[in-house]
Amino acid sequence: MADDHMHQVQQPLAQELLARMNAYWRAANYLSVGQIYLYDNPLLKRPLTLADVKHMLLGHWGTTPGQNFIYVHLNRIIKKYDLDMIYVSGPGHGGPAVVANTYLEGSYSEIYPNISQDEAGLRKLFIQFSFPGGIPSHASPECPGSIHEGGELGYSLSHSFGAVFDNPDLIVACVVGDGEAETGPLATAWHSNKFLDPVTDGAVLPILHLNGYKISNPTIFARMERDELEQYLRGCGWTPYFVEGHEPQLMHQGMAASLDRAIEDIRRFQSHARSNGDFTRPRWPMLVLKSPKGWTGPKVVDGLQNEGTFRAHQVPLAVDAAHPGHLGQLESWLKSYKPEELFDEGGRLRPELAELAPTGERRMGANPHANGGILLRDLRMPDFCDYAADVPAPGAKGIGDTHVLGPFLRDVIKLNQQLRHFRIFGPDETLSNGLGAVFEETARQWDGATVPNDEFLAPTGRVMEMLSEHQCEGWLEGYLLTGRHGLFNCYEAFIHIVDSMFNQHAKWLKVTSQLPWRRKIASLNYLLSSHVWRQDHNGFTHQDPGFIDHVVNKKAEVVRVYLPPDANCLLSVMDHCLRSRHYVNVVVAGKHPSPQWLTMDAAIKHCAEGIGIWQWASNDQGSETDVVMACCGDVPTLETLAAVSIMREHLPSLRIRVVNIVDLMKLQPQSEHPHGLSDIDFDDLFTKDKPVIFAFHAYPWLIHRLTYRRTNHHNIHVRGYKEEGTITTAFDMTVLNDLDRFHLVMDTIDRLPQTGGAGIYLKQQLRDKLIEHKQYIDRNGQDLPEVRNWRWSPGKPPAA
Ligand SMILES: Cc1ncc(C[n+]2csc(CCOP(=O)(O)OP(=O)(O)O)c2C)c(N)n1
């Protein structure tokens, strides 16, 4: 509704209420401008001077008045309909708005008593904003009621949907910036409505904030024809209600009318679905709020239009000695909100305004969903030992490690069906990643149409699959942040798509772990399968093990990386990850049949230690070690053991130690990571001076990065993925990257002169073998029989 049309629509607000809501909005705007500018004189009791203004003026004004307007209106509908509602600020750089509003409603001062509801508190509120030692200018973790920082634009809708899954009474009001709406993740997030079950999930109310501009450009959505925009949103399955204009009286009426309609739609859709068991996808309502950027701010600055333009994005007025006219302009701007009508002498919000906010946990800054750890309950866990792969001897045939994990996850789902607090997310790959067993217990949640021959689709289900890694990540984050549990399974190469989202979540975890009032949430668990070494038909595009390089950049307290060598280790690791709190756990595991090494008992011990000598594969007990064969990852472990068996056969006098690493962080020094081995333990395992031939799942440099401070670092020789990939056999992939058993043996011989002539002859045989391998696969399209059929055998006993 544009201003001129809004004269004709219903006027749901009585004049007296409208005046108070407008005053509340003015109060929020006043506090927002105060945060950006004021160092002192918070109530303007005396004329403003330059000494009252901060030296560094930082923050974002442009989005703020619109968000303040939305917040006061959400407060009204929360009270009117007794809503359980939280607020997600897509353009989270409108930090002044969320801080101002949580302060006005009282939730801020409850958490931060120093920011009290008086003049002294107001002064501190203003100073701390974008100030050293203070708070960021975003809807940051420090801000009560926030589950979404919004610093990196694009994830607001995904987080909102994650929050409402399995929260049937929750509504998330999600402000989407019109600039934010141009991002890839947000553009696909509109389709989240195809995954929302109106019976068992809550609702998201998107509010597309069409303030027209980004930092210095117009937005695409603002320059589309109204009809085109409406059709676009309708095409995405939404029913948009437009609120357009700038005249506060009319805008308040229009906003109130549209919000009433939207909430009544949501209630009607939900009660229809819930009382009739009708899962037909409703055309959920949304709002489009078209209001000026920097609304109510300075109209013109230095002769240039400011309000309603991109120039209002950050700090509209530079107030300092170099701009003598601006101090007066700032004072007039602040006074335009009439603070004396809003706050009493002592600086407290006047009671007739304060009563507009909801109370207790209905306040959006105090809603427990926005501090999910409060609501978090433990998962009911099956005993992972019941799913163990049978390993009568090392090297037993396996069915594919993730295929062993599948039934365990199925039963995690089963045991938690009633609690409805565990979901598996993935971009169309749960089956492909070997986790098909979960569909014995649940379906993929899908609220689109279905046709015969669809498989495992249902209006409600524990598996969420959309071919958008962004949505999977964003939904899962929203789900975790509101106190639930989950797992993201993904092809290893394509998890990079969410590198940046992972960054933001890891930052959130770091900051919240230092806020005592924020409770710990369940860990974000990644299961990366279909990994680099087994892309037999997809080839080079699907080969990239670099996500873990990216992950280890983050704070050690937050990140964990596990590379279980076999199925029993995978079960043990996953059990641990699902029980853990406030981490990001990355687990890399294969899905193809591969040899199994450890019984469940041995796997539990090995995973608890995270790293250890595999005695049954080593022959250096009671004597001096000649070489350490280290391995991390399922394929490197296989190749290492194959190399060891060749050496034990052909160079029986060599004393070999096999060290396997499940928990990558063990390699870091203790001072760098809480899992890190002490130097003494590291030296015990890897020796101080013997060659270490290290076969690694991912890029080799990572091992050097993690171990560069260790005594024996100069002797660690790492083989891993070096960007050589194509469509080829499993073994040839390792050959292309010099990670295969033959190269590992040759590497060892090169570093052990004592192997003498026997070593030289063995090297020659292996070189010949590599040529034979190439010729064979070129002719036959599969690996040599001796590679395919290789079984672990310890070889000859060591020579006396
Ligand atoms: C992913 C990402 N890219 C770029 C930026 C830099 N940035 C900060 S604000 C902004 C413009 C945002 O426009 P909009 O979403 O319309 O928000 P508003 O106008 O309400 O401030 C940009 C590009 C960012 N924060 N995140």
Side-chain angles (χ1 to χ4, degrees), residues 63 91 93 151-153 177-180 211 213-215 293 313:
T63 184
H93 47 269
E152 184 166 295
L153 300 165
D178 49 353
E180 184 195 11
N211 64 15
Y213 296 93
K214 295 168 283 191
I215 298 177
K293 191 149 184 169
H313 182 71

Side-chain angles (χ1 to χ4, degrees), residues 407-446:
F408 170 69
L409 292 176
R410 174 198 65 207
D411 291 349
V412 175
I413 289 172
K414 191 171 178 177
L415 285 175
N416 293 279
Q417 279 288 19
Q418 282 200 320
L419 289 164
R420 303 189 64 80
H421 65 165
F422 176 70
R423 284 184 187 254
I424 294 180
F425 300 79
D428 188 30
E429 289 152 12
T430 305
L431 266 178
S432 169
N433 283 331
L435 304 177
V438 298
F439 296 118
E440 293 163 18
E441 179 57 30
T442 190
R444 303 164 170 128
Q445 183 155 315
W446 172 263

